[in-house]
Amino acid sequence: MQLDIIVPVLMSCALLWWISRGMTWTARLTVAAVTLVLIFCVLLFERSSH
């Protein structure tokens, strides 16, 4: 894997852990899935625009 994929995923996981301390597991998984989809969409957009 490349660094431009690993770093945003790790940062979003850390942020998700910090924010989701009061959330249920279902809400945590939903937010994590949406975050990962957004990260991959941004990466795909950046790669296609170059």
Side-chain angles (χ1 to χ4, degrees), residues 3-19 35-36 39:
L3 194 61
D4 60 339
I5 296 174
I6 295 172
V7 171
V9 170
L10 288 177
M11 290 180 69
S12 64
C13 287
L15 183 63
L16 178 63
W17 173 81
W18 185 71
I19 290 174
T35 304
L36 289 174
I39 289 171

Side-chain angles (χ1 to χ4, degrees), residues 1-6 8 39-50:
M1 284 191 136
Q2 295 178 355
L3 194 61
D4 60 339
I5 296 174
I6 295 172
I39 289 171
F40 285 121
C41 287
V42 168
L43 287 174
L44 288 173
F45 178 74
E46 285 181 356
R47 290 177 187 216
S48 66
S49 64
H50 287 144

